[in-house]
Amino acid sequence: MKITTIGIDLAKNVFQVHGVDEHGKTVLKKQLKRDQMMPFFANLPHCRIGMEAYGSAHFWANKLQELGHTVKLMAPQFVKPYVKTNKNDAADAEVICEAVSRPNMCFVPIKNGGQQAVLALHRARQGFVKARTVQANQIRGLLAEYGIIIPQGIVHIGKRLPEILEDGENGLPGTFRQLIDRLGNHLKELDKQVNELEVQIQTWHRENAASKKLAQIPGLGPIAASALVASIGDAKNFENGRQLAAWLGLVPRRNSSGGKPTLLGISKRGDTYLRTLLIHGARAVIRVAERKAAHAGSWLAGVMERRNKNVAAVALANKNARIVWALLVHGRDYQVDYGSAAA
């Protein structure tokens, strides 16, 4: 029997494989070690392979695609409903094999090595930003124990620390001064790492035509544009802009029954980092719109009149996500008055 569909339960060293034929009958149950994966699939006729989007999934997807197989990645939460009995590696592989054959299954875009490298820069930068915030709050909290209050904002810590350390009348013990000096140097190093990674991201952004195209949208800068391009990959994987917005968790959750539609808050599914960048960018646009009368009568001004700022920010982020899809799919440049010009 010819194997048409295979489910792989990924791991670090031992992989479980489950294969079925065109009638759905199980014809393969096998456990493979890491060094056996490529030889096994190289000798296997081309088929459809399903995997959960866990760690190393994109690596194996690219490797298996090079061998001519059709690889599909699925979010784990979409695979779990197909579990029937107890959990083990063989059962997981069988469930994955069944899930990938469903016609209405939602798949995760496969990222190439370049996309993964750019996203690694973003993840590392995000980690340094969090560590910088933690360090700043620790310095502020320790100084507050000695009655020294620093205003909010990391920039104020860099300005005030030299004055605090040089002030001999503020009652700080020598040991504590050395500690604060050490923590301040650590904060400077974290800030340096963030800035260096931002330079690398901006360099990639300037060399990527799609990223520069997205940066024309108000509310999207080099950081957001590069992250979106690297995460989305081929935008044609989404049928329309609403699907991309839903993938980012920017559409309402539904709890409808009996023919009565009930819309709740946004679903917050998908990548939290991308959604955060879009919403923060939308907030920046709203702050500018509040100060400028030129936005009066615009779509955004109408939303801001009807709803609060947070709702308006999410609505603008949703709109920007749809614009991103349109620009990537149709290869257009952003036009401020595109809607009115088309009308």
Side-chain angles (χ1 to χ4, degrees):
M1 284 291 185
K2 180 181 178 181
I3 300 174
T4 59
T5 306
I6 289 180
I8 304 177
D9 182 44
L10 295 175
K12 292 182 179 179
N13 299 313
V14 180
F15 301 78
Q16 186 69 38
V17 178
H18 184 95
V20 298
D21 60 16
E22 57 183 359
H23 303 293
K25 182 179 178 181
T26 299
V27 294
L28 173 66
K29 283 187 176 182
K30 191 175 183 64
Q31 194 177 79
L32 299 173
K33 293 185 178 179
R34 189 177 188 87
D35 57 355
Q36 297 174 330
M37 283 283 287
M38 294 304 293
F40 176 80
F41 284 99
N43 296 322
L44 199 68
H46 296 171
C47 59
R48 177 173 52 184
I49 299 175
M51 296 182 290
E52 288 183 305
Y54 278 133
S56 76
H58 294 280
F59 166 79
W60 287 111
N62 285 307
K63 288 292 185 181
L64 295 176
Q65 281 185 334
E66 292 175 1
L67 298 177
H69 298 289
T70 301
V71 183
K72 299 291 185 180
L73 300 184
M74 300 165 289
Q77 63 265 30
F78 294 154
V79 177
K80 188 175 181 180
Y82 295 92
V83 176
K84 294 182 284 292
T85 57
N86 298 325
K87 173 181 170 55
N88 56 61
D89 292 347
D92 289 345
E94 181 180 358
V95 166
I96 294 170
C97 183
E98 180 178 351
V100 75
S101 63
R102 298 301 92 194
N104 59 346
M105 175 57 66
C106 296
F107 298 108
V108 176
I110 298 175
K111 299 176 180 61
N112 57 37
Q115 291 174 281
Q116 289 180 280
V118 176
L119 290 177
L121 290 176
H122 279 273
R123 295 297 183 248
R125 174 186 172 275
Q126 185 185 20
F128 281 125
V129 169
K130 289 182 178 179
R132 183 179 64 179
T133 302
V134 170
Q135 184 63 86
N137 289 337
Q138 184 183 42
I139 293 173
R140 185 179 287 109
L142 291 174
L143 288 174
E145 294 296 327
Y146 285 88
I148 300 175
I149 305 301
I150 298 179
Q152 291 185 356
I154 294 178
V155 65
H156 294 293
I157 296 179
K159 292 179 179 179
R160 293 287 305 277
L161 272 188
E163 302 173 4
I164 294 171
L165 294 175
E166 293 175 4
D167 186 0
E169 300 180 357
N170 53 19
L172 296 181
T175 303
F176 185 77
R177 289 179 188 273
Q178 293 177 0
L179 174 63
I180 293 299
D181 183 50
R182 179 190 295 271
L183 296 181
N185 291 332
H186 185 220
L187 181 63
K188 291 179 182 179
E189 179 61 27
L190 291 173
D191 194 54
K192 177 184 175 183
Q193 295 291 343
V194 171
N195 293 332
E196 289 178 354
L197 289 175
E198 284 184 358
V199 170
Q200 287 186 264
I201 293 172
Q202 290 175 357
T203 301
W204 184 90
H205 163 75
R206 287 192 294 268
E207 296 174 354
N208 187 278
S211 184
K212 290 192 293 184
K213 191 188 303 288
L214 297 189
Q216 299 171 356
I217 303 173
L220 294 187
I223 299 295
S226 59
L228 284 167
V229 170
S231 298
I232 295 172
D234 185 4
K236 294 181 180 178
N237 291 323
F238 303 93
E239 293 184 4
N240 50 48
R242 190 188 185 284
Q243 276 199 359
L244 176 59
W247 182 68
L248 294 171
L250 291 170
V251 299
R253 290 183 293 118
R254 297 178 66 96
N255 188 21
S256 306
S257 179
K260 181 180 179 180
T262 303
L263 300 181
L264 307 175
I266 59 173
S267 66
K268 295 186 179 179
R269 294 175 180 172
D271 195 322
T272 304
Y273 179 66
L274 294 178
R275 185 171 58 254
T276 301
L277 290 176
L278 283 169
I279 293 177
H280 284 343
R283 288 198 175 107
V285 174
I286 289 175
R287 284 196 298 269
V288 174
E290 288 177 331
R291 296 194 299 265
K292 294 186 177 180
H295 293 82
S298 64
W299 171 86
L300 180 58
V303 176
M304 293 169 61
E305 290 176 0
R306 299 190 305 269
R307 309 300 295 270
N308 63 61
K309 292 181 183 179
N310 289 332
V311 174
V314 173
L316 181 57
N318 185 307
K319 182 179 180 181
N320 283 344
R322 299 180 185 224
I323 295 174
V324 165
W325 179 86
L327 297 186
L328 293 178
V329 170
H330 301 294
R332 299 170 181 164
D333 290 325
Y334 177 74
Q335 300 177 19
V336 177
D337 57 347
Y338 176 78
S340 58

